């Protein structure tokens, strides 16, 4: 109660989601950011959070109700999607996202350059497929802070997902393409889309099994990741890949405000003179024949993974004893700027920083130029170059 009272000027009411249609939980996170609301699960039982917030003298108004007034589901997978002229996809799950496209993305309410792939409320039915950090609910805060879109959709055309087995195979990924195309259209492709999150492979969309749960897919985890990456790349989108294991990252909406310097130089850089003095180049500037080994340290293409691993890595007494090339993707400075700056300020002369694959974000560069099979869009190469150039200059890569 004290927390809600302290921040009362920052929210206007609540958006209520319906666990019978689990995708509405991701709609609620999206709408919360766009409309300055609190996302609350509908629960009429005595003592529930929903009842506490909507009853009494300090009752909060329900600004958006993602179910009908009579308590029945708003999205049914039949007919016309409510409050639109769009025909149902045949899936209540996907209809919810198609409704979101019409009411929030196409209308410009959302930030089209910020999307997040995070589990919807279906995890309540398979919570024991992973540990308590698996759903990564704490990661929504960054997307909400940027008025972005939270989604959770299968990437394969040849299957119906475990959370919606009655849908026509491929309905999920068709909806995913529509979602990204709607976002892309908002800025006409003159830029890129940042997508924190990852395939929730232990819960959905893969062949992963554990004693408590089967994710229900026909494809293994790594091919699913790669296929997802190809879809993103065709829409000028890149991953900040919060893969399960070290995926939970609270407070990125707070960390993002850390004041970064405009330039982080890497000194002293090698020169022809210094390399010659070390015996690596001859008098004519040619590489002296030897067997050379370079260490690539990666993949640090996830803010969440860097957040978890950096403190122990950077306090290891052995660091600095061997020249290492740390592949910290520079775009991680968006969600974890203080970590990136802290690592630079405490580097040794043997710590060198490079851009991991494939630049300032996880993307497949070959899908930036036509033909782009997942989208049919014109080239996004210049947009990617411009995006990377800013980060490369700031971090001296």
């Amino acid at each position: 109660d004290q927390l809600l009272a302290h921040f009362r000027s920052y929210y206007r009411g609540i958006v209520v989601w319906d666990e019978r249609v689990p995708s509405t939980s991701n709609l609620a996170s999206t709408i919360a950011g766009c409309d300055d609301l609190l996302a609350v699960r509908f629960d009429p039982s005595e003592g529930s959070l929903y009842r506490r917030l909507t009853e009494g003298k300090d009752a909060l108004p329900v600004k958006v109700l993602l179910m009908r007034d009579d308590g029945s589901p708003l999205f049914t997978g039949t007919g016309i999607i409510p409050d639109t002229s769009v025909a149902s996809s045949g899936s209540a799950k996907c209809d919810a996202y198609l409704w979101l496209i019409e009411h929030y993305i196409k209308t410009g309410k959302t930030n089209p350059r910020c999307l997040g792939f995070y589990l919807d409320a279906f995890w309540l039915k398979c919570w024991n497929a992973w540990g308590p950090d698996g759903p990564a609910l704490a990661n929504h805060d960054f997307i909400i802070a940027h008025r972005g879109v939270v989604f959770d959709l299968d990437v394969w055309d040849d299957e119906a997902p475990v959370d919606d087995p009655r849908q026509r195979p491929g309905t999920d990924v068709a909806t995913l393409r529509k979602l990204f195309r709607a976002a892309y259209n908002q800025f006409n492709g003159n830029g890129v889309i940042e997508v924190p999150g990852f395939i929730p492979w232990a819960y959905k969309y893969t062949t992963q099994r554990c004693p408590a749960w089967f994710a229900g897919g026909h494809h293994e985890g790594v091919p699913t990741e790669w296929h997802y990456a190809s879809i993103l790349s065709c829409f000028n989108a890149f991953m900040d890949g919060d893969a399960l294991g070290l995926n939970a990252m609270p407070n990125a909406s707070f960390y993002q405000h850390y004041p970064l310097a405009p330039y982080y130089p890497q000194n002293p850089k090698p020169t022809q003179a210094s390399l010659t003095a070390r015996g690596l180049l001859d008098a004519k500037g040619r590489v002296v024949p030897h067997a050379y080994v370079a260490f690539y340290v990666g993949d640090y293409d996830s803010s969440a993974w860097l957040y978890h691993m950096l403190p122990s890595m950077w306090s290891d007494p052995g660091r600095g004893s061997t020249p290492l090339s740390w592949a910290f993707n520079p775009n991680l400075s968006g969600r974890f700027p203080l970590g990136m700056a802290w690592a630079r300020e405490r580097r040794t002369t043997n710590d060198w920083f490079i851009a991991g694959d494939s630049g300032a974000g996880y993307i497949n560069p070959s899908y930036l130029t036509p033909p782009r099979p997942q989208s049919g869009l014109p080239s996004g190469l210049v947009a990617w170059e411009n995006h990377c150039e800013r980060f490369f200059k700031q971090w001296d890569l």
Side-chain angles (χ1 to χ4, degrees):
D1 291 337
Q2 290 175 342
L3 181 74
L4 292 171
H6 184 78
F7 290 101
R8 185 62 185 88
S9 63
Y10 291 88
Y11 59 91
R12 302 185 304 109
I14 64 175
V15 48
V16 178
W17 57 274
D18 179 3
E19 67 179 292
R20 294 169 298 182
V21 184
S23 58
T24 60
S25 66
N26 279 351
L27 264 65
S29 286
T30 303
I31 294 167
C34 295
D35 291 350
D36 301 321
L37 304 176
L38 304 178
V40 180
R41 180 179 63 92
F42 178 74
D43 181 1
S45 62
E46 185 69 29
S48 70
L49 181 62
Y50 170 79
R51 291 277 297 273
R52 287 185 61 193
L53 294 180
T54 58
E55 296 177 354
K57 64 182 181 66
D58 296 322
L60 298 177
V62 176
K63 295 291 187 178
V64 179
L65 180 64
L66 295 172
M67 53 196 298
R68 296 193 182 277
D69 292 335
D70 63 5
S72 60
L74 181 63
F75 305 108
T76 61
T78 60
I80 301 297
I81 297 172
D83 303 316
T84 76
S85 58
V86 179
S88 170
S89 65
S91 159
K93 172 190 179 180
C94 293
D95 283 0
Y97 290 111
L98 296 175
W99 178 93
L100 187 72
I101 290 171
E102 296 299 314
H103 286 274
Y104 281 83
I105 300 179
K106 288 184 177 180
T107 59
K109 286 187 175 182
T110 64
N111 175 1
R113 300 180 192 235
C114 182
L115 283 76
F117 192 162
Y118 293 111
L119 273 166
D120 64 23
F122 184 76
W123 73 267
L124 294 169
K125 300 180 180 179
C126 52
W127 58 269
N128 53 354
W130 197 263
D133 59 344
L137 287 174
N139 300 41
H140 288 219
D141 75 316
F142 182 82
I143 310 300
I144 291 171
H146 286 262
R147 303 186 185 277
V149 177
V150 185
F151 69 91
D152 174 7
L153 291 159
D154 199 353
V155 301
W156 293 106
D157 288 286
D158 61 355
E159 66 183 21
V162 69
D163 61 334
D164 194 17
R166 293 187 180 89
Q167 72 168 231
R168 183 178 65 256
T171 303
D172 257 33
V173 71
T175 304
L176 181 66
R177 293 188 187 103
K178 290 177 180 178
L179 190 74
F180 275 94
R181 183 56 188 266
Y184 177 97
N185 287 346
Q186 287 296 301
F187 56 91
N188 297 316
N190 295 319
V192 296
I193 303 172
E194 177 183 11
V195 191
F198 204 74
I199 299 285
W201 49 266
Y203 300 85
K204 304 179 181 183
Y205 315 142
T206 73
T207 56
Q208 181 73 15
R209 291 180 182 269
C210 73
W213 184 250
F214 170 45
H218 302 146
H219 303 269
E220 293 184 355
V222 172
T224 302
E225 170 195 343
W226 290 346
H227 189 59
Y228 169 55
S230 74
I231 295 173
L232 292 190
S233 304
C234 288
F235 289 94
N236 291 18
F238 67 91
M239 258 187 270
D240 181 349
D242 297 340
L244 285 168
L246 300 170
N247 60 313
M249 184 181 180
N251 298 321
S253 62
F254 176 72
Y255 297 144
Q256 68 176 333
H257 298 291
Y258 182 84
L260 289 173
Y263 181 54
Y264 288 87
Q266 297 201 72
N267 292 316
K269 284 185 177 177
T271 64
Q272 182 167 333
S274 70
L275 293 174
T276 302
R278 292 171 60 189
L280 301 177
L281 300 180
D282 64 20
K284 295 183 179 181
R286 296 174 300 194
V287 176
V288 175
H290 282 297
Y292 293 95
V293 176
F295 292 98
Y296 169 98
V297 189
D299 291 335
Y300 290 98
D301 51 14
S302 162
S303 298
W305 283 63
L306 188 66
Y307 164 84
H308 283 279
M309 295 303 300
L310 187 61
S312 59
M313 289 193 309
W314 238 239
S315 58
D316 191 303
R319 183 176 58 86
S321 59
T322 301
L324 297 176
S325 295
W326 298 94
F328 295 172
N329 276 17
N331 62 289
L332 304 189
S333 61
R335 284 201 292 159
F336 195 38
L338 74 165
M340 293 282 284
W342 185 78
R344 284 300 184 93
E345 291 160 2
R346 289 160 177 78
R347 67 180 286 263
T348 72
T349 54
N350 273 333
D351 292 316
W352 292 93
F353 298 93
I354 63 174
D357 48 3
S358 297
Y362 176 172
I363 201 169
N364 285 348
S366 59
Y367 286 113
L368 289 168
T369 54
R372 305 177 82 181
Q374 298 291 339
S375 67
L377 291 169
S379 176
L381 186 60
V382 171
W384 183 246
E385 289 173 344
N386 292 338
H387 165 75
C388 289
E389 183 178 27
R390 174 173 66 87
F391 287 100
F392 279 42
K393 284 183 177 179
Q394 181 178 23
W395 296 100
D396 196 22
L397 303 176

